[in-house]
Amino acid sequence: MAERTGLRQAARSGWRALAIGAMALLVSACQTIVPRTDGPATTTPVDTGVATPGLPVDTERHRVALLVPQTGPDAPVGTSIANATTLALLDSRSDRIRITIYDTGAGAAAAAQQAIEEGNKLILGPLLADDVRAVQPIARAANVPLISFSNDSSVAGNGTYLLGFEPGQAVNRVVAHARAQGMNRFGALVPRSIYGERALASLRTAVTAAGGTLVASESYDRSATGISGAARRLSSAGAMDAVLIADSGQTAIRAVPLLRTGGTTGARILGTELWNTESALAASTPMRGAWFASVSDGLFSQMATRYRERYGNAPYRLASMGYDAVLLTVRMTRDWRPGTAFPQNRLFAADGFGGIDGIFRFDQRGIAQRALEVSEVRAGGFTVVDPAPTQW
């Protein structure tokens, strides 16, 4: 599954203090973000409103369900996302939203059914595409939209919106930057996986649209012999200006020395959003000068500091989506009356939304289009060489 690689990416960086002034930018004009109390922001289901046939009604707060794994192999990621939603509620000082966590580890469909029976009008999550598919028919029947953390574009649409980091966007961004620097001939190393297939499809489209040429691509299974064989085949395929490695930084570190022969000897190495948490890249001399596109880590690092102060450990990188989902919900409460259907049409606002990961907006498929930056791998760290846009 495409999103499994991202689940293993933990946060690695943090700043020394939470800059409240910078955090206030996240919700645009909706609220000033200031820490309030340290009380928990998530609850177990409790009826606080007036009972009507089958469904509790809260006349003062919006009932929002958070569907993430709390048990099973993905529980650490789910818990990190859940904790980040708590931080977002504290920082936004919102008292109009009531978030209840439902564990998808024991079954996503059952979690969704319970969430709807208990009156939730919006579902944040689930995390995995298979869980989204299990939840969709239940949510659609109740006219309850999903703002999912999946990056699998095949599940988007018809009331399902994706906040996940869709790999094609990072490929498009880094290719556009490379073309702007005069690079015309591209190659690619991609794993035999859904992620690799989609990254390669995006590369073909991006290179063609930018007026470049895709010289060759090679796929591999994730073994030492598979990677080395693919790298050697690519290096003999002709001269190239740039080579995309659509995989983890560790894979790139293994592959790049093998690309320094033949037609790929002087090629610029390109990567995707998977690289932005891999500090080992900066320690690898052959990786110096490589470019990759991703969301900015600046505000995430500040959130990570506050997260560690509260929970005693570092958040997973995907935790930012939980934080941003709450900020998005807070903004939507301006004209959303408690107990009524979520105003899905307002998700397509042309000016989009702001969050920990920068500005984003939903396209007509319901996929978050993100403003990405391009960074270069240098000795000791990453340096931004093409900043992310700050407005659409």
Side-chain angles (χ1 to χ4, degrees):
M1 182 173 296
E3 57 223 340
R4 286 285 181 180
T5 302
L7 298 186
R8 296 191 292 269
Q9 306 290 334
R12 294 289 185 267
S13 62
W15 290 352
R16 289 174 296 201
L18 180 64
I20 299 305
M23 295 289 282
L25 298 174
L26 300 180
V27 287
S28 185
C30 58
Q31 301 238 5
T32 301
I33 299 183
V34 182
R36 60 168 202 184
T37 68
D38 286 331
T42 55
T43 65
T44 53
V46 177
D47 290 352
T48 59
V50 178
T52 57
L55 295 177
V57 175
D58 193 327
T59 59
E60 296 182 356
R61 293 179 296 176
H62 296 280
R63 287 178 179 261
V64 177
L66 176 66
L67 269 61
V68 289
Q70 299 285 280
T71 55
D74 294 320
V77 182
T79 298
S80 193
I81 291 173
N83 290 343
T85 65
T86 297
L87 284 183
L89 283 175
L90 295 174
D91 291 347
S92 67
R93 301 179 65 95
S94 176
D95 58 1
R96 299 187 62 192
I97 300 172
R98 175 179 186 259
I99 293 181
T100 305
I101 302 172
Y102 298 84
D103 181 15
T104 58
Q113 189 64 52
Q114 182 183 1
I116 289 168
E117 289 174 354
E118 290 170 354
N120 292 281
K121 300 298 184 182
L122 173 65
I123 291 175
L124 306 181
L127 175 61
L128 301 177
D130 286 345
D131 287 344
V132 174
R133 293 186 183 97
V135 167
Q136 281 174 323
I138 300 168
R140 285 170 184 162
N143 192 32
V144 173
L146 310 177
I147 298 179
S148 171
F149 308 124
S150 171
N151 66 357
D152 188 337
S153 58
S154 70
V155 300
N158 198 14
T160 297
Y161 305 87
L162 302 189
L163 278 180
F165 305 139
E166 200 267 329
Q169 295 179 40
V171 173
N172 293 341
R173 180 73 168 93
V174 76
V175 167
H177 179 73
R179 284 289 292 126
Q181 305 307 309
M183 298 177 186
N184 299 310
R185 296 172 60 81
F186 293 79
L189 285 177
V190 299
R192 292 192 179 102
S193 65
I194 294 175
Y195 184 94
E197 291 171 3
R198 291 179 178 166
L200 181 56
S202 296
L203 178 65
R204 287 195 181 102
T205 301
V207 169
T208 299
T213 300
L214 181 59
V215 176
S217 64
E218 293 290 341
S219 60
Y220 54 86
D221 55 42
R222 285 191 174 100
S223 66
T225 56
I227 295 168
S228 61
R232 289 191 178 98
R233 290 192 301 273
L234 189 69
S235 68
S236 63
M240 300 174 205
D241 300 317
V243 172
L244 174 74
I245 302 178
D247 209 332
S248 68
Q250 291 296 332
T251 297
I253 290 170
R254 291 196 296 271
V256 166
L258 301 173
L259 293 173
R260 295 315 184 194
T261 60
T264 56
T265 299
R268 177 83 63 167
I269 303 302
L270 310 178
T272 73
E273 80 290 343
L274 297 180
W275 291 12
N276 78 338
T277 59
E278 299 210 33
S279 57
L281 287 166
S284 171
T285 300
M287 292 301 301
R288 305 277 166 78
W291 293 332
F292 67 94
S294 70
V295 296
S296 172
D297 270 342
L299 291 175
F300 175 81
S301 298
Q302 297 176 50
M303 189 204 79
T305 296
R306 180 156 158 73
Y307 186 105
R308 284 192 296 269
E309 290 171 353
R310 183 174 177 85
Y311 297 107
N313 52 37
Y316 278 76
R317 186 59 182 84
L318 297 183
S320 61
M321 291 191 294
Y323 196 105
D324 286 357
V326 171
L327 296 186
L328 172 62
T329 304
V330 169
R331 177 170 170 179
M332 298 294 285
T333 61
R334 288 175 176 176
D335 303 310
W336 177 26
R337 185 165 57 84
T340 63
F342 182 82
Q344 295 186 50
N345 63 305
R346 292 179 52 217
L347 289 175
F348 298 104
D351 59 344
F353 305 92
I356 288 289
D357 292 321
I359 61 172
F360 65 94
R361 60 185 176 186
F362 292 102
D363 65 17
Q364 290 305 307
R365 298 173 298 167
I367 298 173
Q369 301 297 300
R370 297 183 173 277
L372 304 180
E373 66 186 17
V374 177
S375 295
E376 182 174 305
V377 179
R378 297 182 181 173
F382 305 144
T383 298
V384 176
V385 292
D386 192 358
T390 56
Q391 63 183 14
W392 296 109

